[in-house]
């Protein structure tokens, strides 16, 4: 499974319905699980981004499907990054010239 970190910004619609944010997060976690995505952590933040989502997915296509499903609800905009553990990065750098 690959790990992804998603930065989240609430949309105007998401701010308007912010009282439902914890329920929406639980609902997303359940729907993501059906896709084979494991949500590891969800954090609400102060600053440039309103939240951070850390999840594992079997491949980029599945991760993209999950994020498109989330964004299609119009409560958040997402910016997702593939992330690597130290062990994964160690294997990657051994391939550099």
């Amino acid at each position: 499974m690959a790990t992804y970190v998603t930065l989240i910004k609430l949309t105007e619609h998401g701010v308007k319905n912010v009282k439902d944010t914890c329920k929406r997060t639980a609902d997303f976690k359940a729907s993501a699980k059906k896709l084979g995505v494991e949500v590891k952590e969800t954090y609400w933040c102060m600053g440039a981004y309103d939240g951070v989502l850390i999840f594992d997915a079997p491949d980029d296509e599945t991760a993209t499907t999950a994020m498109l499903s989330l964004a299609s609800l119009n409560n958040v905009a997402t910016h997702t990054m593939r992330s690597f553990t130290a062990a994964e990065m160690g294997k990657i750098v051994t391939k550099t010239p």
Side-chain angles (χ1 to χ4, degrees):
M1 293 274 267
T3 300
Y4 300 83
V5 174
T6 298
L7 302 174
I8 294 173
K9 283 192 171 199
L10 290 169
T11 63
E12 185 176 329
H13 185 261
V15 171
K16 183 177 179 180
N17 299 301
V18 73
K19 290 184 178 183
D20 296 330
T21 190
C22 294
K23 181 186 180 316
R24 288 196 308 263
T25 299
D27 291 346
F28 171 72
K29 189 173 183 177
S31 66
K33 187 174 184 177
K34 292 176 186 175
L35 294 171
V37 172
E38 180 186 357
V39 176
K40 305 288 242 170
E41 297 289 343
T42 303
Y43 298 100
W44 286 261
C45 303
M46 296 171 28
Y49 291 92
D50 300 308
V52 174
L53 179 66
I54 302 169
F55 66 95
D56 289 347
D59 51 50
D60 290 345
E61 291 81 3
T62 304
T64 301
T65 300
M67 291 301 96
L68 287 172
S69 296
L70 178 60
S72 73
L73 301 174
N74 198 31
N75 291 303
V76 297
T78 64
H79 179 90
T80 302
M81 301 165 284
R82 170 68 166 93
S83 303
F84 302 92
T85 64
E88 291 168 329
M89 195 62 192
K91 289 179 186 176
I92 291 168
V93 298
T94 62
K95 298 176 185 178
T96 59

